[in-house]
């Protein structure tokens, strides 16, 4: 009897949980007026289920939070996976090659789209954008996306993805510390080095400079900013379709040597194990004076819940060597459609919603970055983040242009080779010798010469 | 294996327990599973190692021995081989000695033995990746507890996993910490199974500690020790989680073992062909070593 009673009680408790949880979910109402005014039949694909694959990033996190809103708007069910960036590409390739249950919507990155378009994995989005039955041109306002970003994302005539963000390498510095020591905001590599060394104070747990150096953490892209701003070049596509690489030029050696030197002389101990997450935490905790990284970390630097340096941070464009203009890495994550996906039309609805002005503006306001021009001109946004940040990251005159990341199949191999080279220089090996090895490795896996 | 089974079944047949003709039916499920889960993937691996299969290239070509030729002439491959050997030899030797010593100490009558044993096996039963994350925090040169402890006895702070000079040592340290309990557990259960009278008689005859250790304990324990050695050897060749979490193969290539390289080649560089060739070489090497130990070590099957 006792046992029976306990079973009944447990069941009753579980049932009530389900009911309450259910009612809580239903109770949430969404203000959908911003979308319903558009000339789109949002309920066209009601009942469809789409599969979305996200790479972990602040932009995907912000989108995942808003998925219930999309489901309420369209009646489309979204099944998603969110995978850490280091494993994302790998998982995606397995999905492409297995082909049994491909995603409908996925996150694409610039370095990979060429491969994916060539192999017929990534769909061209222009037919969807230009289809009046699927897209309301006035509501979506495609021209509002940064022209530079769209040009960059295009492969030939095709657009494999709509950019979600425009993360540009910028210099973040502690205004209070700079004022205290009377140091001016650096504009050249020499000034940056001097400032970093002057502010480095390991006794008091203060590093002058943090940046990424960890393997498989995009460190090579951040270093690419130094490479190109020193006047060097990495992998370059020739007009005839072949590629060349220039990692053992004097410029490349100088850039690698500089990067290792500034981290050795002013960086935290063990800088080789600092990826963007470690660097960001150091900066948030107030243990670093200068932090050079993608502006994507901005939202977290200015988030009072996780950061102790809110309001103390100044933003400056990337420095140069005073001779060459600075050329920076600008990263775009894009939302794209998988060519093999079963519900591409419904998938496009998701992309259209996710990159529409209402969603994009809100996400940009919360996280400090976006790919729509109007988001950067928004007054509330400028007020929250400051004009110097907008100037540093919008590519205002004098802030440098982007350098072109190589679109080769071997990109991850190339980045790993560079990371290893930087580690070896950091540990005291001769930069010229190491860069020769890097060049040799590149020639080998790129099949040059 | 099969030969053994047959021999035994003939005996059974003689005793009229199992009729011989059903033998193969009984074996079928096990053989099917073995073929499906081990032999088939191995054959695919061998085939792939002769191709230039890549996850980003739609066409796969047969390239013969090119993958192997490239690997064996590549100094990086041999560097990784040396790193792996350094890792395996130092880790396994220390684990065996340490595990054996702790097991021996446990033969002394102690009060809190059960509690102690529990504490000792914690590293083995805890989730490896979670433990490795704890170690990354402890290894941190700036805020890790290890450097703090060193500072108490006036030793300058070390770089641990952040310097190519100490990174391999650091991952070996974690490997030893994590896997010594396994050796300890195996050896101490082996010790408890030994006949007590033998040792009592030896004491009566005036045998000293070293004599008993060398002439009695080690020979009697040799099957258990061989098994422990075999398991540790195979496992440490295949180490992945510890290195992946702690250093990812870095700094530079200081801790890049063969297994880490296989993972990187296959899943970062998407070169399935080359990764298969590396995996096959590692497989042949580990198999040969295991075969040698099984043959030479007194493990118990003929």
């Amino acid at each position: 009897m006792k046992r029976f009673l306990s079973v009944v009680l447990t069941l009753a408790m579980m049932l009530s949980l389900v009911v309450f949880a259910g009612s809580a979910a239903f109770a949430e109402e969404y203000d959908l007026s911003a979308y319903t005014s558009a000339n789109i039949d949002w309920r066209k694909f009601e009942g469809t289920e789409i599969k979305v694959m996200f790479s972990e990033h602040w932009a995907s996190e912000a989108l995942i939070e808003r998925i219930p809103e999309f489901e309420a708007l369209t009646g489309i069910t979204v099944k998603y996976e969110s995978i850490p960036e280091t494993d994302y590409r790998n998982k995606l390739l397995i999905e492409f090659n297995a082909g049994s249950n491909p995603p409908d919507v996925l996150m694409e990155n610039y370095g990979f789209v060429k491969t994916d378009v060539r192999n017929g994995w990534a769909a061209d989005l222009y037919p969807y954008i230009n289809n009046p039955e699927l897209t309301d041109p006035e509501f979506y306002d495609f021209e509002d996306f940064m022209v530079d970003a769209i040009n960059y994302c295009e492969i030939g005539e095709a657009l494999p993805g709509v950019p979600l963000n425009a993360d540009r390498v910028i210099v973040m510095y502690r205004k209070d510390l700079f004022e205290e020591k009377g140091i001016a905001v650096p504009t050249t590599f020499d000034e940056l080095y001097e400032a970093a060394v002057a502010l480095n104070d390991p006794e008091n747990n203060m590093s002058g400079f943090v940046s990424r150096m960890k393997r498989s953490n995009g460190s090579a892209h951040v270093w690419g900013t130094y490479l190109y701003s020193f006047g060097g070049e990495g992998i370059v596509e020739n007009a005839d379709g072949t590629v060349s690489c220039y990692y053992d030029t004097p410029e490349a050696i100088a850039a690698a040597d500089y990067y290792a030197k500034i981290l050795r002389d002013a960086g935290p101990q063990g800088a080789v194990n600092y990826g963007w997450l470690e660097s960001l935490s150091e900066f948030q905790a107030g243990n670093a004076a200068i932090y050079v990284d993608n502006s994507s970390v901005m939202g977290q630097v200015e988030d009072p819940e996780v950061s102790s340096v809110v309001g103390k941070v100044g933003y400056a464009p990337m420095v140069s060597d005073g001779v060459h203009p600075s050329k920076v890495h600008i990263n775009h994550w894009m939302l794209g459609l998988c060519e093999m996906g079963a519900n591409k039309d419904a998938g496009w609805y998701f992309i259209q919603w996710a990159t529409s002005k209402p969603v994009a503006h809100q996400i940009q306001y919360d996280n400090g970055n976006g790919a729509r021009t109007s988001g950067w001109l928004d007054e509330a946004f400028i007020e929250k983040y400051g004009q110097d940040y907008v100037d540093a990251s919008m590519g205002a005159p004098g802030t440098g242009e982007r350098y072109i990341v190589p679109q080769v199949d071997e990109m991850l191999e190339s980045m790993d080779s560079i990371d290893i080279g930087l580690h070896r220089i950091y540990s005291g090996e001769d930069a010229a010798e190491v860069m020769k090895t890097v060049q040799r490795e590149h020639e080998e896996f790129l099949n040059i010469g | 294996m099969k030969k053994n089974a047959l021999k035994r079944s003939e005996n059974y047949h003689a005793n009229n327990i199992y009729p011989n003709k059903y033998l193969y039916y009984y074996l079928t499920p096990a053989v099917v599973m073995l073929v499906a889960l081990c032999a088939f993937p191995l054959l695919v691996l061998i085939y792939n190692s002769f191709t230039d299969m890549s996850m980003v290239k739609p066409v796969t070509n047969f390239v013969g021995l090119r993958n192997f030729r490239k690997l064996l002439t590549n100094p990086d491959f041999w560097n990784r081989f040396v790193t792996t050997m350094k890792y395996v030899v130092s880790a396994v030797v220390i684990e065996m000695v340490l595990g054996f010593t702790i097991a021996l100490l446990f033969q002394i009558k102690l009060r809190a033995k059960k509690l102690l044993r529990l504490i000792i096996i914690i590293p083995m039963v805890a989730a490896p990746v979670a433990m490795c994350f704890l170690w990354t925090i402890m290894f941190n040169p700036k805020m890790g507890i290890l450097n703090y402890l060193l500072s108490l006895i006036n030793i300058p702070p070390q770089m641990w996993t952040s310097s190519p000079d100490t990174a391999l040592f650091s991952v070996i340290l974690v490997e030893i910490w994590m896997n010594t309990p396994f050796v300890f557990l195996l050896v101490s259960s082996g010790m408890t199974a030994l006949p007590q009278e033998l040792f009592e008689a030896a004491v009566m005859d005036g045998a000293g500690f070293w004599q008993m250790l060398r002439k009695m304990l080690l020979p009697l324990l040799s099957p258990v020790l061989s098994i422990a050695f075999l398991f540790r050897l195979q496992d440490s060749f295949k180490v992945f989680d510890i290195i992946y979490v702690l250093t990812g193969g870095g700094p530079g290539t200081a801790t890049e073992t063969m297994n880490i390289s296989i993972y990187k080649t296959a899943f970062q560089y998407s070169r399935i062909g080359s990764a298969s060739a590396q995996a096959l070489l590692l497989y042949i090497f580990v198999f040969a070593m295991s075969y040698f130990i099984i043959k030479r070590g007194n493990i118990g099957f003929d």
Side-chain angles (χ1 to χ4, degrees):
Chain A
M1 192 59 209
K2 225 176 187 174
R3 199 179 205 176
F4 175 73
L5 208 72
S6 66
V7 169
V8 169
L9 277 175
T10 318
L11 277 179
M13 270 155 71
M14 279 165 65
L15 204 71
S16 65
L17 266 180
V18 171
V19 169
F20 280 120
S23 62
F26 280 116
E28 210 164 325
E29 287 285 324
Y30 296 99
D31 177 19
L32 302 173
S33 55
Y35 313 104
T36 44
S37 58
N39 184 22
I40 302 167
D41 176 13
W42 287 107
R43 309 297 291 187
K44 196 171 177 183
F45 302 106
E46 196 169 353
T48 324
E49 186 181 285
I50 57 168
K51 192 178 158 196
V52 184
M53 269 179 64
F54 290 114
S55 168
E56 275 178 17
H57 188 263
W58 58 260
S60 51
E61 268 169 42
L63 279 178
I64 288 168
E65 269 174 39
R66 287 173 174 77
I67 282 178
E69 187 187 272
F70 174 73
E71 289 179 329
L73 174 70
T74 59
I76 297 170
T77 316
V78 178
K79 282 190 78 178
Y80 69 87
E81 273 180 280
S82 184
I83 298 155
E85 195 177 331
T86 39
D87 302 320
Y88 176 73
R89 181 62 185 164
N90 169 19
K91 167 90 174 151
L92 202 58
L93 284 176
I94 292 172
E95 297 271 353
F96 287 153
N97 280 285
S100 54
N101 186 20
D104 299 296
V105 179
L106 46 90
M107 260 165 91
E108 277 286 6
N109 203 310
Y110 176 77
F112 307 127
V113 280
K114 196 171 184 184
T115 306
D116 293 358
V117 168
R118 187 195 65 211
N119 288 339
W121 294 331
D124 178 14
L125 294 183
Y126 278 135
Y128 296 88
I129 294 169
N130 297 328
N131 182 345
E133 285 183 20
L134 294 173
T135 311
D136 176 0
E138 221 161 282
F139 165 75
Y140 192 56
D141 193 7
F142 182 70
E143 273 68 45
D144 182 37
F145 284 100
M146 296 169 160
V147 181
D148 175 45
I150 297 295
N151 288 343
Y152 190 64
C153 295
E154 274 180 350
I155 299 295
E157 300 278 292
L159 183 74
V162 179
L164 287 170
N165 62 322
D167 297 345
R168 166 189 286 258
V169 173
I170 58 172
V171 179
M172 294 168 255
Y173 63 95
R174 286 280 300 279
K175 280 189 286 194
D176 50 338
L177 299 176
F178 270 65
E179 265 168 40
E180 203 177 288
K181 294 232 170 182
I183 300 171
V185 180
T187 55
T188 66
F189 283 117
D190 291 337
E191 287 172 22
L192 182 70
Y193 178 80
E194 278 158 25
V197 171
L199 291 162
N200 192 36
D201 186 5
E203 306 262 293
N204 291 318
N205 209 8
M206 173 64 72
S207 306
F209 182 85
V210 279
S211 196
R212 303 184 209 186
M213 208 188 219
K214 198 177 180 174
R215 274 179 78 176
S216 313
N217 210 273
S219 313
H221 280 340
V222 175
W223 174 73
T225 299
Y226 294 77
L227 170 68
Y228 281 84
S229 302
F230 266 94
E233 276 180 314
I235 300 174
V236 176
E237 281 174 67
N238 302 323
D240 61 350
T242 58
V243 289
S244 309
C245 64
Y246 306 97
Y247 286 107
D248 56 355
T249 57
E251 291 85 6
I253 295 168
D257 202 31
Y258 177 85
Y259 197 61
K261 195 171 89 173
I262 190 169
L263 277 168
R264 205 166 41 218
D265 296 349
Q269 280 193 315
V272 283
N273 281 337
Y274 277 70
W276 66 266
L277 187 63
E278 289 83 1
S279 308
L280 173 64
S281 324
E282 250 348 354
F283 196 64
Q284 281 173 331
N287 295 338
I290 305 173
Y291 175 27
V292 174
D293 208 326
N294 279 344
S295 49
S296 61
V297 296
M298 166 72 182
Q300 292 171 67
V301 168
E302 297 290 338
D303 180 354
E305 270 181 39
V306 290
S307 172
S308 66
V309 293
V310 179
K312 297 180 189 165
V313 182
Y315 300 89
M318 184 61 196
V319 299
S320 74
D321 65 351
V323 183
H324 303 90
S326 71
K327 280 190 172 180
V328 298
H329 174 55
I330 305 179
N331 183 45
H332 299 293
W333 277 103
M334 311 167 221
L335 275 182
L337 287 172
C338 177
E339 191 66 64
M340 295 89 86
N343 298 307
K344 279 190 292 214
D345 287 352
W348 167 248
Y349 266 33
F350 181 79
I351 298 177
Q352 184 176 193
W353 165 82
T355 54
S356 67
K357 274 183 187 169
V359 178
H361 285 179
Q362 191 57 47
I363 291 181
Q364 177 161 4
Y365 182 78
D366 292 343
N367 298 284
N369 200 298
R372 274 184 176 274
T373 314
S374 55
W376 290 94
L377 301 175
D378 187 49
E379 272 173 27
F381 176 80
I382 296 174
E383 196 183 325
K384 181 175 176 187
Y385 292 98
Q387 189 66 42
D388 62 340
Y389 167 68
V390 176
D391 287 346
S393 37
M394 253 300 266
T399 53
E401 48 189 289
R402 73 164 75 225
Y403 78 81
I404 308 295
V405 168
Q407 281 183 312
V408 290
D409 288 344
E410 293 82 3
M411 197 187 78
L412 287 172
E413 207 162 348
S414 156
M415 290 171 69
D416 208 28
S417 164
I418 293 167
D419 290 347
I420 291 172
L422 291 175
H423 283 196
R424 288 174 52 194
I425 300 169
Y426 178 83
S427 313
E429 285 185 50
D430 178 52
E433 284 302 312
V434 172
M435 292 316 281
K436 248 183 225 164
T437 317
V438 171
Q439 173 75 7
R440 182 178 52 78
E441 283 174 358
H442 274 76
E443 282 170 0
E444 204 172 295
F445 60 67
L446 292 170
N447 285 321
I448 302 172
Chain B
M1 282 298 284
K2 229 173 185 180
K3 218 170 98 197
N4 277 338
L6 272 176
K7 227 195 296 179
R8 225 167 264 161
S9 87
E10 276 156 22
N11 290 340
Y12 290 140
H13 190 48
N15 296 333
N16 273 336
I17 298 174
Y18 288 112
N20 201 0
K21 60 176 175 178
Y22 292 128
L23 176 73
Y24 293 104
Y25 296 116
Y26 296 142
L27 281 176
T28 312
V31 171
V32 167
M33 288 295 268
L34 214 62
V35 168
L37 296 177
C38 294
F40 179 67
L42 183 65
L43 287 176
V44 173
L45 178 90
I46 294 173
Y47 175 76
N48 285 346
S49 68
F50 293 109
T51 67
D52 67 348
M53 185 177 179
S54 160
M55 286 206 282
V56 291
K57 291 189 174 125
V59 186
T60 301
N61 302 309
F62 189 83
V63 294
L65 288 169
R66 197 178 76 192
N67 287 330
F68 295 96
R69 204 169 50 231
K70 262 191 169 173
L71 276 177
L72 295 174
T73 53
N74 185 350
D76 290 344
F77 174 80
W78 293 106
N79 288 342
R80 290 195 288 268
F81 179 76
V82 170
T83 311
T84 312
M85 288 310 286
K86 276 186 198 163
Y87 181 91
V88 170
V89 171
S90 46
V92 173
V93 168
I94 297 173
E95 277 163 22
M96 292 297 293
V97 173
L98 212 60
F100 181 82
T101 315
I102 300 174
L104 203 61
L105 287 176
F106 259 71
Q107 297 303 309
I108 302 167
K109 281 206 164 57
L110 278 174
R111 264 211 192 147
K113 221 178 197 174
K114 272 189 182 162
L115 184 70
L116 262 178
R117 190 159 51 207
L118 196 71
I119 294 173
I120 286 179
I121 62 169
I122 283 177
M124 190 181 86
V125 291
V129 173
M131 289 299 108
C132 289
F133 270 117
L134 277 183
W135 274 97
T136 56
I137 299 169
M138 297 205 284
F139 277 140
N140 187 309
K142 210 162 147 186
M143 53 193 181
I145 192 170
L146 290 179
N147 274 352
Y148 171 72
L149 292 177
L150 287 183
S151 73
L152 292 183
I153 48 174
N154 284 330
I155 295 178
Q158 299 297 312
M159 295 302 286
W160 303 106
T161 51
S162 305
S163 152
D165 303 326
T166 50
L168 190 62
F169 167 77
S170 308
V171 289
I172 292 173
L173 193 72
V174 178
E175 154 87 33
I176 291 169
W177 173 83
M178 204 176 269
N179 292 314
T180 302
F182 174 78
V183 180
F184 157 74
L185 221 57
L186 223 61
V187 173
S188 74
S189 63
M191 280 183 183
T192 24
L194 293 181
Q196 205 68 40
E197 307 84 52
L198 264 178
F199 292 90
E200 281 164 13
V203 173
M204 295 282 275
D205 290 343
F209 172 75
W210 288 110
Q211 252 181 326
M212 286 209 285
L213 186 70
R214 269 184 41 225
K215 297 269 165 68
M216 297 172 65
L217 197 55
L218 285 178
L220 282 170
L221 275 178
S222 77
V224 176
L225 289 174
S226 307
I227 286 279
F229 185 63
L230 182 67
F231 270 106
R232 285 314 320 137
L233 195 75
Q234 289 182 346
D235 263 9
S236 52
F237 262 112
K238 294 184 289 190
V239 64
F240 180 75
D241 40 14
I242 298 176
I243 296 183
Y244 188 71
V245 176
L246 282 177
T247 65
T253 52
T255 54
E256 192 160 307
T257 58
M258 293 167 83
N259 216 13
I260 291 281
S261 159
I262 293 169
Y263 170 81
K264 290 212 169 229
T265 315
F267 297 117
Q268 258 190 24
Y269 310 160
S270 305
R271 295 170 185 261
I272 304 293
S274 169
S276 301
Q278 292 180 47
L280 189 63
L281 290 176
L282 182 65
Y283 176 81
I284 292 170
F285 191 70
V286 174
F287 187 85
M289 289 197 91
S290 312
Y291 188 76
F292 180 75
I293 295 167
I294 292 170
K295 275 274 159 193
R296 294 297 296 271
N298 179 11
I299 278 184
F301 32 82
D302 33 20

